[in-house]
Amino acid sequence: MTKAVVLGAAGGIGQPLALLLKCNPLIKELSLFDIVNTPGVAADLSHISTPAKVEGFLPPDDGLKKALTGADIVVIPAGVPRKPGWCGVRWHIDCLPIVKCRDDLFKINAGIVRDLATGIATVAPKAFVLVISNPVNSTVPIVAEVFKKHGVFDPKRLFGVTTLDVVRASTFVAEILGDLSLAPSISVPVVGGHSGVTIVPLLSQSSHSLPKDFSESSLDTLTKRVQFGGDEVVKAKDGAGSATLSMAYAGAEFATKVIKAVNGEAGIVAPSFVNLAADKDGGDALKKEIGKNLDYFSTLVELGPEGVAKIRTLGKLTSFEEGLVQAALPELETSINKGVSFIETPKL
Ligand SMILES: NC(=O)c1ccc[n+]([C@@H]2O[C@H](COP(=O)([O-])OP(=O)(O)OC[C@H]3O[C@@H](n4cnc5c(N)ncnc54)[C@H](O)[C@@H]3O)[C@@H](O)[C@H]2O)c1
């Protein structure tokens, strides 16, 4: 019996994500929490003829606590999305301030994630936590630091959701191969982190090879398209937010993988941004491979009943991919440290 909770369930990602989870037969209870609109979203979803019982909660009357009680898996898409150029971001509630720059966006999302993580650490410390709220490279360390403060941190149970990068890479490769029907079966490991240059698609390890005459410049263009795919959506939405529907699909895919693995299904492997202490041997081998002592990295993770079962190393890379990994490391390190210090020095 799986109880899934979505925190930020009334948002652009939260609503379609909740819909997809409601359609998942493995989920028997679905709790939705947001600062607005969850009773309506829950009432609407509750009419769908699938097994999950849906309830919606708001902050009053201990809503967060009620939503989280008995949670097996918690998915967090709460926060503020970016808009073109990361500037002029406006919260969709008029009474809240206009957010002017990337750093303000960080502070708002970091604060939201910190407070929600405190709720999880207190009410459902054993739940598997899947973080969607950006910047994932910082928000995952934030959740970990909050859990450490409460003495309940288990690195095997915390995941940054990078699945959208994987989904995009598979789709773009299928487009290049001229057959979109291949997209669901194409798998491309995407490693590193989850923003811009920290996103490293390992196209040489794609389950379906690129055409033999695929040029170096085409490879560069495809790599950049995966790294900055979010910008395409932000631009096309023209001020109305960032990727929501594709992100909901990706979030539901990853949540389903975690639930299946926890239920005992073997052989489930997916990239995720994890704390490398989740599998000491695998984590140490990965650190050696990248030549940097980072605490977090996105890589292929073997999932099991306890969450992370094994962290895989990157394997054989081309010199182009090695360059991408090295280029990702400085920004990754800065973002991880920013998340950690947000909790250590909360006045930031
Ligand atoms: N990981 C990824 O690949 C990925 C992709 C796209 C977007 N994102 C991120 O996901 C987040 C949400 O994006 P969106 O487009 O759904 O934004 P949105 O503004 O449409 O929805 C966010 C929701 O969070 C809610 N919220 C705000 N504060 C909250 C709190 N304290 N508790 C509970 N809920 C709260 C809001 O009320 C809103 O309903 C953003 O941080 C965005 O950058 C991540």
Side-chain angles (χ1 to χ4, degrees):
M1 159 120 173
T2 297
K3 172 170 174 175
V5 181
V6 181
L7 304 179
I13 295 169
Q15 290 201 40
L17 174 63
L19 169 63
L20 292 168
L21 296 178
K22 168 66 176 141
C23 296
N24 184 333
L26 299 172
I27 294 171
K28 298 291 179 285
E29 271 186 78
L30 179 60
S31 273
L32 309 180
F33 177 81
D34 201 301
I35 52 173
V36 289
N37 296 341
T38 37
V41 177
D44 194 355
L45 289 177
S46 72
H47 291 188
I48 295 174
S49 53
T50 55
K53 180 182 168 218
V54 189
E55 284 185 289
F57 298 93
L58 294 169
D61 302 323
D62 265 345
L64 181 59
K65 188 176 173 191
K66 286 177 186 160
L68 288 169
T69 300
D72 297 301
I73 179 166
V74 181
V75 192
I76 313 179
V80 181
R82 66 196 171 118
K83 299 275 171 78
W86 289 82
C87 287
V89 176
R90 181 194 286 272
W91 202 299
H92 72 270
I93 304 169
D94 287 341
C95 60
L96 287 167
I98 293 172
V99 181
K100 288 217 170 60
C101 73
R102 192 180 182 133
D103 210 43
D104 289 335
L105 187 90
F106 168 80
K107 281 185 209 159
I108 290 182
N109 283 356
I112 291 171
V113 170
R114 175 199 57 211
D115 295 347
L116 294 174
T118 303
I120 305 168
T122 314
V123 181
K126 293 274 178 206
F128 297 95
V129 180
L130 279 54
V131 184
I132 291 174
S133 314
N134 271 324
V136 165
N137 295 349
S138 303
T139 50
V140 171
I142 285 173
V143 175
E145 292 305 310
V146 170
F147 272 55
K148 283 180 199 169
K149 282 203 161 182
H150 286 78
V152 294
F153 180 50
D154 178 352
K156 290 182 182 302
R157 291 172 178 261
L158 175 61
F159 302 90
V161 181
T162 60
T163 319
L164 183 53
D165 306 323
V166 179
V167 166
R168 283 186 180 131
S170 311
T171 307
F172 299 162
V173 169
E175 282 174 7
I176 286 163
L177 297 178
D179 185 358
L180 262 187
S181 72
L182 291 174
S185 57
I186 293 178
S187 109
V188 180
V190 183
V191 302
H194 179 67
S195 73
V197 296
T198 72
I199 298 171
V200 179
L202 302 181
L203 290 155
S204 71
Q205 296 180 18
S206 168
S207 60
H208 294 58
S209 302
L210 290 163
K212 284 211 165 37
D213 59 353
F214 204 65
S215 67
E216 272 181 32
S217 75
S218 303
L219 183 66
D220 192 51
T221 304
L222 173 58
T223 299
K224 289 206 167 64
R225 192 173 178 213
V226 175
Q227 291 181 318
F228 298 96
D231 294 355
E232 274 182 36
V233 181
V234 169
K235 198 168 163 223
K237 288 197 173 179
D238 195 18
S242 61
T244 52
L245 304 174
S246 51
M247 182 58 239
Y249 171 84
E253 279 280 301
F254 188 69
T256 301
K257 285 187 174 167
V258 172
I259 294 168
K260 282 184 175 171
V262 170
N263 287 351
E265 193 171 318
I268 300 182
V269 183
S272 179
F273 186 72
V274 293
N275 184 296
L276 296 179
D279 163 27
K280 192 175 178 322
D281 290 349
D284 286 350
L286 181 67
K287 287 181 199 178
K288 206 169 157 201
E289 195 179 33
I290 61 175
K292 186 114 189 152
N293 192 21
L294 292 181
D295 287 337
Y296 297 83
F297 203 80
S298 180
T299 188
L300 282 169
V301 170
E302 295 178 23
L303 299 169
E306 303 301 324
V308 175
K310 191 166 175 9
I311 288 172
R312 287 194 184 169
T313 51
L314 305 182
K316 194 169 163 21
L317 305 185
T318 63
S319 57
F320 175 66
E321 289 164 352
E322 268 170 24
L324 294 174
V325 170
Q326 291 308 313
L329 299 178
E331 184 178 322
L332 205 45
E333 184 175 35
T334 304
S335 304
I336 293 166
N337 290 341
K338 200 171 173 185
V340 171
S341 54
F342 182 77
I343 299 303
E344 282 173 356
T345 50
K347 280 194 221 85
L348 237 184

